[in-house]
Amino acid sequence: ISSKELRGKTIVLHFWATSCGPCMGRMPEHIKSLSNLDQSQVEILFVSLDDDQEKFMEAVNKFQMPFTNLRDE
């Protein structure tokens, strides 16, 4: 992700982890509500705090996260 790509947009950061029960339980709700935003004006970044790349990818696939997904090791 480069700052050039984000210039002029509102940025929404959503931090989560597979080890966070409430995060995972509310994931479908977060995805649904954030999907209603005008993505030409808003950049949504889902930032996982997972150490495990495999668990991160499993969650991204399970919930079909439609946003930019990043992992902060």
Side-chain angles (χ1 to χ4, degrees), residues 11-18 20 22-34 37 42-50 56 63 65-72:
I11 301 168
V12 175
L13 296 173
H14 177 76
F15 293 92
W16 63 279
T18 57
C20 173
C23 298
M24 300 311 290
R26 295 189 68 194
M27 189 63 75
E29 180 183 332
H30 290 303
I31 291 170
K32 184 177 179 182
S33 65
L34 291 171
L37 298 176
V42 177
E43 185 68 33
I44 302 165
L45 304 176
F46 270 35
V47 182
S48 171
L49 303 176
D50 283 296
F56 164 72
F63 292 104
M65 297 177 189
F67 312 113
T68 300
N69 294 285
L70 308 168
R71 187 171 65 95
D72 181 13

